[in-house]
Amino acid sequence: GLTVGAFGHGILKIRGGSTVTSTSASFRSSIGTFPGSSGIVTVTGANSTWNTNSLSVGSSGEGILNIEDGGTVLSNSVSIGGISTNTNIATVTGSNSKWDITGGLSFSSFGTNSILNIEDGGTVSNSYAEMGFLEIAFATSVVTVSGSNSAWNTSGDLDVGISLSDSDISTNSSTINIETGGTVSVGNEIYLAKTGVINLRGGTLRAATFDFSSGKAINFEAGKLHLTQSTTIDSNSIYDLDVRTLVSSQTLRVDGTTTLQTPLILNGGKLSTDSIAGFNNLDFQSGYFDLTYSDFSIGSAGLAGPNVNLATGKHFNVTNNASIAANGVLNLSGGSFSAAKLTNNGTIIAS
């Protein structure tokens, strides 16, 4: 492994398309290794690469890693923060800047402030991630993803925070901020524990499933919540706390079937789903409803019954085919309806 800042202050800059390889199976690479030390590594420019095995950004010292302007870091596993009171920061910024981690990404549980910034088109990819993974944790970890095409991709599970009893003295805090243009994508489950926070502030949060500790929910201020498998919305779902209404800045996308067992209010926002069950529980006041796989029919046997009224501000789109039965009525009183193909055997009123 390669140590940058073992006992003093170390600086490493990889630029101009150069490659540094430190892939020893016996030793981790480290930035800021021992107490009182500090290290800075910058990988900058297209084809500039640091190829590491395991990597610690701040072990017992202070570590800073910058990946910018198309630079690349390749790692087997990564920890940000260690056993200290330092602030350790990793920043991936700029188009084509990337940090590819074949294994896990973990954030310190022992006293440090661990920060990961993914900005302006940078990407971080890993197989799983843990933000605060010990119940004796006394640390703060923050991940912020912001700017167009910036992405944090986890192919497996993402754990945010730790679960505590009322008697625990841990001061752990784990926060993910997803700003405009940024995407956090998780292949399997997101576990939001008692000390975890997820702020969706204009970006995209994508996952297959969620598991929340009691009293927890996503702070869905704005952006897109994308569920990659069929979802049932009921009193025990992720909508139990604060996402019962989709307003103009909010989009819910479901790959598969959305089953509504409790009311969901569409009030200026957007609901996009392959198919839907429990359509009568959709309180469509205004906004956009996209049906992206199933056909849609208007009539006594149709999903929405024989009458569909689209007033001003209501927009209904069917990606495939739509039909109006003989007893069906589509009333466009200021709203809009579109489909790949519309077969009309009933009545369309436009006013």
mmCIF file of all heavy atoms in Angstrom, residues 145-165:
data_model
loop_
_atom_site.group_PDB
_atom_site.id
_atom_site.type_symbol
_atom_site.label_atom_id
_atom_site.label_comp_id
_atom_site.label_asym_id
_atom_site.label_seq_id
_atom_site.Cartn_x
_atom_site.Cartn_y
_atom_site.Cartn_z
ATOM 1 N N VAL A 145 -24.689 14.932 -2.836
ATOM 2 C CA VAL A 145 -24.614 14.689 -4.275
ATOM 3 C C VAL A 145 -25.338 15.837 -4.964
ATOM 4 O O VAL A 145 -26.539 16.039 -4.749
ATOM 5 C CB VAL A 145 -25.254 13.342 -4.654
ATOM 6 C CG1 VAL A 145 -25.015 13.037 -6.128
ATOM 7 C CG2 VAL A 145 -24.692 12.210 -3.790
ATOM 8 N N SER A 146 -24.614 16.592 -5.787
ATOM 9 C CA SER A 146 -25.204 17.795 -6.377
ATOM 10 C C SER A 146 -24.646 18.039 -7.768
ATOM 11 O O SER A 146 -23.504 17.681 -8.068
ATOM 12 C CB SER A 146 -24.926 19.018 -5.480
ATOM 13 O OG SER A 146 -23.531 19.256 -5.387
ATOM 14 N N GLY A 147 -25.454 18.654 -8.609
ATOM 15 C CA GLY A 147 -25.018 19.015 -9.948
ATOM 16 C C GLY A 147 -25.388 17.982 -10.983
ATOM 17 O O GLY A 147 -25.493 16.791 -10.712
ATOM 18 N N SER A 148 -25.597 18.429 -12.198
ATOM 19 C CA SER A 148 -26.061 17.582 -13.281
ATOM 20 C C SER A 148 -25.163 16.371 -13.492
ATOM 21 O O SER A 148 -23.933 16.499 -13.561
ATOM 22 C CB SER A 148 -26.129 18.407 -14.574
ATOM 23 O OG SER A 148 -26.569 17.623 -15.655
ATOM 24 N N ASN A 149 -25.788 15.190 -13.556
ATOM 25 C CA ASN A 149 -25.129 13.911 -13.821
ATOM 26 C C ASN A 149 -24.212 13.442 -12.699
ATOM 27 O O ASN A 149 -23.458 12.474 -12.893
ATOM 28 C CB ASN A 149 -24.343 13.971 -15.132
ATOM 29 C CG ASN A 149 -25.234 14.212 -16.340
ATOM 30 O OD1 ASN A 149 -26.303 13.616 -16.463
ATOM 31 N ND2 ASN A 149 -24.822 15.112 -17.213
ATOM 32 N N SER A 150 -24.272 14.053 -11.547
ATOM 33 C CA SER A 150 -23.524 13.561 -10.392
ATOM 34 C C SER A 150 -24.261 12.366 -9.803
ATOM 35 O O SER A 150 -25.487 12.389 -9.678
ATOM 36 C CB SER A 150 -23.386 14.659 -9.334
ATOM 37 O OG SER A 150 -22.718 15.783 -9.862
ATOM 38 N N ALA A 151 -23.512 11.309 -9.426
ATOM 39 C CA ALA A 151 -24.198 10.089 -9.012
ATOM 40 C C ALA A 151 -23.401 9.303 -7.985
ATOM 41 O O ALA A 151 -22.178 9.194 -8.073
ATOM 42 C CB ALA A 151 -24.485 9.205 -10.220
ATOM 43 N N TRP A 152 -24.129 8.739 -7.010
ATOM 44 C CA TRP A 152 -23.591 7.754 -6.080
ATOM 45 C C TRP A 152 -24.373 6.474 -6.326
ATOM 46 O O TRP A 152 -25.577 6.408 -6.074
ATOM 47 C CB TRP A 152 -23.741 8.239 -4.640
ATOM 48 C CG TRP A 152 -23.192 7.282 -3.618
ATOM 49 C CD1 TRP A 152 -22.304 6.263 -3.830
ATOM 50 C CD2 TRP A 152 -23.491 7.247 -2.213
ATOM 51 N NE1 TRP A 152 -22.021 5.603 -2.656
ATOM 52 C CE2 TRP A 152 -22.735 6.187 -1.646
ATOM 53 C CE3 TRP A 152 -24.313 8.001 -1.390
ATOM 54 C CZ2 TRP A 152 -22.796 5.873 -0.295
ATOM 55 C CZ3 TRP A 152 -24.370 7.689 -0.040
ATOM 56 C CH2 TRP A 152 -23.614 6.642 0.503
ATOM 57 N N ASN A 153 -23.680 5.442 -6.819
ATOM 58 C CA ASN A 153 -24.319 4.187 -7.198
ATOM 59 C C ASN A 153 -23.868 3.067 -6.268
ATOM 60 O O ASN A 153 -22.674 2.759 -6.189
ATOM 61 C CB ASN A 153 -23.963 3.831 -8.637
ATOM 62 C CG ASN A 153 -24.372 4.906 -9.630
ATOM 63 O OD1 ASN A 153 -25.490 5.409 -9.585
ATOM 64 N ND2 ASN A 153 -23.474 5.272 -10.523
ATOM 65 N N THR A 154 -24.824 2.451 -5.579
ATOM 66 C CA THR A 154 -24.567 1.312 -4.715
ATOM 67 C C THR A 154 -25.332 0.126 -5.268
ATOM 68 O O THR A 154 -26.558 0.158 -5.347
ATOM 69 C CB THR A 154 -25.007 1.609 -3.269
ATOM 70 O OG1 THR A 154 -24.248 2.722 -2.763
ATOM 71 C CG2 THR A 154 -24.782 0.402 -2.375
ATOM 72 N N SER A 155 -24.620 -0.925 -5.657
ATOM 73 C CA SER A 155 -25.295 -2.056 -6.301
ATOM 74 C C SER A 155 -26.054 -2.929 -5.309
ATOM 75 O O SER A 155 -27.014 -3.605 -5.676
ATOM 76 C CB SER A 155 -24.277 -2.906 -7.066
ATOM 77 O OG SER A 155 -23.279 -3.413 -6.197
ATOM 78 N N GLY A 156 -25.647 -2.923 -4.026
ATOM 79 C CA GLY A 156 -26.307 -3.725 -3.004
ATOM 80 C C GLY A 156 -27.129 -2.891 -2.058
ATOM 81 O O GLY A 156 -28.019 -2.141 -2.477
ATOM 82 N N ASP A 157 -26.838 -2.987 -0.745
ATOM 83 C CA ASP A 157 -27.593 -2.277 0.287
ATOM 84 C C ASP A 157 -26.870 -1.019 0.734
ATOM 85 O O ASP A 157 -25.634 -0.933 0.704
ATOM 86 C CB ASP A 157 -27.792 -3.175 1.515
ATOM 87 C CG ASP A 157 -28.658 -4.389 1.221
ATOM 88 O OD1 ASP A 157 -29.465 -4.321 0.277
ATOM 89 O OD2 ASP A 157 -28.522 -5.396 1.940
ATOM 90 N N LEU A 158 -27.657 -0.059 1.204
ATOM 91 C CA LEU A 158 -27.142 1.172 1.800
ATOM 92 C C LEU A 158 -27.747 1.337 3.186
ATOM 93 O O LEU A 158 -28.971 1.408 3.318
ATOM 94 C CB LEU A 158 -27.496 2.380 0.925
ATOM 95 C CG LEU A 158 -27.259 3.768 1.521
ATOM 96 C CD1 LEU A 158 -25.794 3.977 1.867
ATOM 97 C CD2 LEU A 158 -27.753 4.857 0.564
ATOM 98 N N ASP A 159 -26.888 1.372 4.218
ATOM 99 C CA ASP A 159 -27.328 1.590 5.595
ATOM 100 C C ASP A 159 -26.973 3.011 6.010
ATOM 101 O O ASP A 159 -25.814 3.419 5.906
ATOM 102 C CB ASP A 159 -26.649 0.611 6.554
ATOM 103 C CG ASP A 159 -27.071 -0.831 6.301
ATOM 104 O OD1 ASP A 159 -28.079 -1.034 5.615
ATOM 105 O OD2 ASP A 159 -26.376 -1.749 6.781
ATOM 106 N N VAL A 160 -27.982 3.748 6.478
ATOM 107 C CA VAL A 160 -27.790 5.146 6.856
ATOM 108 C C VAL A 160 -28.097 5.284 8.338
ATOM 109 O O VAL A 160 -29.252 5.173 8.762
ATOM 110 C CB VAL A 160 -28.692 6.087 6.032
ATOM 111 C CG1 VAL A 160 -28.372 7.542 6.352
ATOM 112 C CG2 VAL A 160 -28.525 5.810 4.545
ATOM 113 N N GLY A 161 -27.065 5.522 9.160
ATOM 114 C CA GLY A 161 -27.257 5.667 10.598
ATOM 115 C C GLY A 161 -27.232 4.338 11.319
ATOM 116 O O GLY A 161 -27.036 3.273 10.731
ATOM 117 N N ILE A 162 -27.439 4.401 12.624
ATOM 118 C CA ILE A 162 -27.452 3.210 13.467
ATOM 119 C C ILE A 162 -28.704 3.214 14.324
ATOM 120 O O ILE A 162 -29.308 4.256 14.579
ATOM 121 C CB ILE A 162 -26.201 3.133 14.369
ATOM 122 C CG1 ILE A 162 -26.081 4.381 15.243
ATOM 123 C CG2 ILE A 162 -24.949 2.923 13.550
ATOM 124 C CD1 ILE A 162 -24.904 4.354 16.198
ATOM 125 N N SER A 163 -29.094 2.031 14.767
ATOM 126 C CA SER A 163 -30.268 1.892 15.621
ATOM 127 C C SER A 163 -29.851 1.976 17.084
ATOM 128 O O SER A 163 -28.898 1.326 17.509
ATOM 129 C CB SER A 163 -30.962 0.552 15.352
ATOM 130 O OG SER A 163 -31.444 0.511 14.035
ATOM 131 N N LEU A 164 -30.562 2.787 17.849
ATOM 132 C CA LEU A 164 -30.203 3.025 19.240
ATOM 133 C C LEU A 164 -31.413 2.821 20.144
ATOM 134 O O LEU A 164 -32.547 3.080 19.756
ATOM 135 C CB LEU A 164 -29.701 4.462 19.431
ATOM 136 C CG LEU A 164 -28.480 4.905 18.612
ATOM 137 C CD1 LEU A 164 -28.277 6.398 18.788
ATOM 138 C CD2 LEU A 164 -27.246 4.139 19.048
ATOM 139 N N SER A 165 -31.142 2.395 21.363
ATOM 140 C CA SER A 165 -32.175 2.422 22.393
ATOM 141 C C SER A 165 -32.118 3.772 23.094
ATOM 142 O O SER A 165 -31.168 4.539 22.928
ATOM 143 C CB SER A 165 -31.952 1.289 23.402
ATOM 144 O OG SER A 165 -30.762 1.512 24.134
#
